Amino acid sequence: MRTTIFLLLAVGLMNAAAATTSELSGYVAAEGSVFFNSPLSPEQERHSASLALQPEFYHEWENGSGFLVVPFARLDSADPERTHFDVRELNYLWLADRWELRVGVGKVFWGTTEFVHLVDIVNQTDLVEDIDEEDKLGQPMVHLSIPRDWGIVDMFILPYFRERTFPGRKGRLRFPLVVDTDNAKYESAAEEHRLDFAIRYSHSIGDWDIGIYHFNGTGREPTLLPDSDENGEPVLIPLYEQINQTGVDLQLVAGQWLWKLEALYRTGQADDFFAAVGGFEYTLVGVAGTAMDLGIVAEWAYDDRGDEATTPYENDAMFGFRLTLNDPASSQILAGLMQDMHSSARAISIEASHRIGSNWKATLEAWAFLDAPEDDLFYSFRDDDFVRLGLAYYF
Amino acid sequence: MLSLLLLPRVAAAETPEEKGLAIAQEADRRDTGFSDFTADMLMVLRNKPGQESTRKIRIRMLEVEGDGDKSLTIFDTPRDVKGTAFLNFTHKVGDDDQWLYLPALKRVKRISSRNKSGSFMGSEFAYEDISSQEVEKYTYKWIRDEVYEGKQCFVIERYPVDKKKSGYTRQVSWIGKSEYREWKVDYYDRKKSRLKTLTVKGYQKYLDKYWRADEMNMVNRQTGKSTRLVWSNYKFRTGLTDRDFDKNSLRRVR
């Protein structure tokens, strides 16, 4: 309903004002995922193929105000939960001299580190897309941004909560018990209609980029409770608690070193806790006399809750290499190793991309989950090592 | 009276270093006061066998009084990097501040400006070649006068102040005597051998004062690869302000 009003409003304004720029862009992508081992449950499909479409329409007026629509749809051969549609963005931007206001469905990112996106909270994770948690669902919001010489203040009213997506019965990369997303529970009686709020201050001072925020509302990370569904089958029910979370993100440039830190303190979800991730990125330019750049990333993630953490990163070290070939095809390879500091559990990931011609892009993603003990979240993925190949056309 | 007496003596005692600096200062002075400009740029990458690939780029530049300029570089093609934007605050002294905007993640990423010798988006231009050329970033030396393609030129050498971070030991520049326009630059790498040559064509005058080139061609002498920049649609004094170069502006880029 709300989005309909925004759409009508925007279309009305579109007719009223003199148009300057309109454009349609986006991509269509095909991918295939090959798993090396049989699934743990006979319900799961072994391999999968998938098709995704994300067009983007943008219209901008002479005064800089604009209207943006980004729908997203995916068809998946194996998992009906991964077959999904989402409005990634649908918003109107009012650009004034001393502030800007975005109303509608939007997307924002907060954070500095590479492996874990700890403090990024506004948009819900679209977990069926990828386990790297970088895909996000569109979030209805009223977002006022006030840029000043002394920094930027961002204020958010978030009128509708988006539930996290989880793989279904037939999907892979899931827990032994399926997460029953149709029966999510809320701490708030208003459920997904509770108004959430966030305020953030960010600034660049010399070599420092700093951000600090407070969020009050429905926690994006559910607690998963063992239960049974209407057929009496054991499932996990997501419980979304009311939380208060204060977060900071810092980055310091020191020569070829980038030092990064993200930290948060959360109350309202079981015991109050602290979590942080920090590390560095070091870039070698023109390695071995070539035009290639090599970035070395090392990070460490810590969560006060230890084994009770709702993320896999309770005390983990992460190392990565990013090789940028600087060729016309913008070829890039990113390899990472995540090692649990308290157990043998580790995961290896590889991501690579290569442009073909001017409109096509080939991608490769691979994950291996090694030696996870039974109490580790990655234990559920022990037979889910996979390679995913993708081909996308951008228009 | 005193100054009148001193002036000829200073001129007579001008060392090649002083003359080189004076030429650079004069070129800089002539390009001062443009306030801001926007332009479109076609970047043509060419490999040794001659295969080409192109990038469409938009540039916005803001002149900053007392410091280096601010620039915003926006990629329109290839389509998979559409909306990628690069924000650069040049400083006369010290490192530049640089941010990269990744539209798919909506992420503004600070990048280390010590990577100035690195390739700018796969081209033969390094970050330090495309960032605004502040007088203070180099020391200078006048070498000789020479006719280059029928034009009377000063030939001067530039040496980076920050020797560790630059990919060059020196640059040799041909600057026209009449309008102080740069026609050619030879870049020498850390091993002191000639790495690249930039040639500039088709200068046009804007606002009756500011010269901008239509075409720049950077040839890598060691790999045989080259990058051509074809400029168009220059607009000066468009009314850009600091607001158009803050981190929010990266998120608004289309």
Side-chain angles (χ1 to χ4, degrees), chain B:
Chain B
M1 188 62 195
L2 187 66
S3 60
L4 277 172
L5 282 172
L6 280 170
L7 209 71
R9 279 189 56 195
V10 171
E14 193 176 45
T15 63
E17 286 77 12
E18 283 165 353
K19 186 169 178 181
L21 176 64
I23 293 162
Q25 283 170 335
E26 177 60 16
D28 185 63
R29 191 193 63 78
R30 285 172 182 242
D31 200 48
T32 301
F34 64 82
S35 299
D36 70 77
F37 74 82
T38 65
D40 296 338
M41 186 172 97
L42 185 72
M43 184 187 262
V44 184
L45 313 182
R46 191 182 164 95
N47 67 9
K48 207 174 178 183
Q51 288 167 309
E52 292 190 342
S53 63
T54 59
R55 274 115 229 251
K56 277 188 193 157
I57 295 163
R58 283 171 289 150
I59 309 272
R60 296 172 190 170
M61 180 87 80
L62 182 72
E63 191 175 31
V64 179
E65 220 171 293
D67 202 356
D69 299 339
K70 294 181 178 182
S71 71
L72 183 62
T73 308
I74 305 155
F75 280 74
D76 289 333
T77 72
R79 296 303 267 180
D80 63 304
V81 296
K82 181 189 168 299
T84 302
F86 173 67
L87 180 65
N88 188 20
F89 293 180
T90 313
H91 298 302
K92 287 182 187 288
V93 179
D95 293 340
D96 294 355
D97 297 322
Q98 299 179 332
W99 297 266
L100 193 65
Y101 178 65
L102 306 167
L105 300 175
K106 301 264 160 190
R107 181 170 181 183
V108 178
K109 209 178 157 182
R110 180 81 175 246
I111 56 176
S112 164
S113 62
R114 301 256 171 137
N115 301 340
K116 61 209 263 180
S117 63
S119 161
F120 178 69
M121 298 287 174
S123 76
E124 295 310 312
F125 287 83
Y127 280 94
E128 62 185 307
D129 304 334
I130 55 143
S131 85
S132 101
Q133 300 291 312
E134 303 299 327
V135 173
E136 292 82 352
K137 295 203 159 189
Y138 303 91
T139 57
Y140 302 84
K141 189 179 181 181
W142 168 79
I143 302 297
R144 62 180 181 271
D145 290 347
E146 190 178 275
V147 177
Y148 171 76
E149 293 192 339
K151 293 174 276 277
Q152 289 289 334
C153 287
F154 301 114
V155 182
I156 63 165
E157 288 192 343
R158 284 194 285 258
Y159 315 96
V161 169
D162 207 338
K163 290 184 176 62
K164 272 190 211 152
K165 292 172 227 158
S166 176
Y168 312 123
T169 43
R170 68 184 162 121
Q171 301 175 15
V172 184
S173 169
W174 280 255
I175 295 171
K177 284 186 175 181
S178 58
E179 296 283 354
Y180 285 80
R181 290 171 297 189
E182 189 167 63
W183 294 101
K184 181 181 165 185
V185 185
D186 277 331
Y187 298 84
Y188 290 80
D189 65 14
R190 290 197 182 119
K191 291 176 215 122
K192 298 188 177 169
S193 52
R194 190 167 67 161
L195 175 65
K196 300 187 292 193
T197 299
L198 173 73
T199 49
V200 186
K201 285 199 295 202
Y203 273 104
Q204 314 250 15
K205 207 173 192 178
Y206 297 89
L207 300 182
D208 216 26
K209 184 174 179 193
Y210 305 105
W211 292 98
R212 290 291 181 275
D214 286 345
E215 201 173 313
M216 299 173 178
N217 195 29
M218 184 75 92
V219 178
N220 190 314
R221 299 283 173 182
Q222 296 174 3
T223 63
K225 291 194 274 189
S226 66
T227 300
R228 201 166 76 241
L229 306 181
V230 183
W231 296 80
S232 62
N233 206 15
Y234 271 111
K235 289 186 184 118
F236 279 78
R237 295 191 184 147
T238 62
L240 293 173
T241 66
D242 284 322
R243 271 292 301 282
D244 299 295
F245 297 86
D246 65 15
K247 283 203 269 173
N248 272 10
S249 72
L250 286 169
R251 297 186 187 96
R252 288 197 307 267
V253 153
R254 289 289 149 194

Side-chain angles (χ1 to χ4, degrees), chain A residues 194-253:
Chain A
R194 187 193 182 273
L195 276 185
D196 294 348
F197 302 95
I199 183 164
R200 173 179 160 91
Y201 168 77
S202 59
H203 195 30
S204 298
I205 310 162
D207 295 330
W208 290 86
D209 284 76
I210 61 164
I212 181 162
Y213 73 84
H214 187 78
F215 171 88
N216 169 274
T218 311
R220 269 52 182 159
E221 229 169 61
T223 301
L224 299 173
L225 308 169
D227 206 328
S228 54
D229 65 8
E230 48 269 36
N231 307 321
E233 297 238 26
V235 290
L236 295 170
I237 299 284
L239 168 67
Y240 294 99
E241 293 101 337
Q242 289 305 304
I243 64 160
N244 273 287
Q245 179 169 309
T246 303
V248 294
D249 53 87
L250 298 173
Q251 188 164 282
L252 169 68
V253 186

Side-chain angles (χ1 to χ4, degrees), chain A residues 1-12 14 67-71 85-92 94 102-106 137-142 159-162 193:
Chain A
M1 185 58 199
R2 263 191 198 93
T3 50
T4 317
I5 292 166
F6 293 143
L7 184 61
L8 288 173
L9 185 63
V11 169
M14 227 186 268
F67 174 68
L68 174 68
V69 196
V70 187
F85 171 79
D86 183 43
V87 177
R88 294 294 202 225
E89 290 188 77
L90 192 162
N91 58 60
Y92 182 79
W94 273 271
R102 265 189 192 81
V103 179
V105 179
L137 296 169
Q139 171 64 50
M141 63 174 73
V142 177
Y160 184 82
F161 174 77
R162 303 294 309 276
H193 296 286

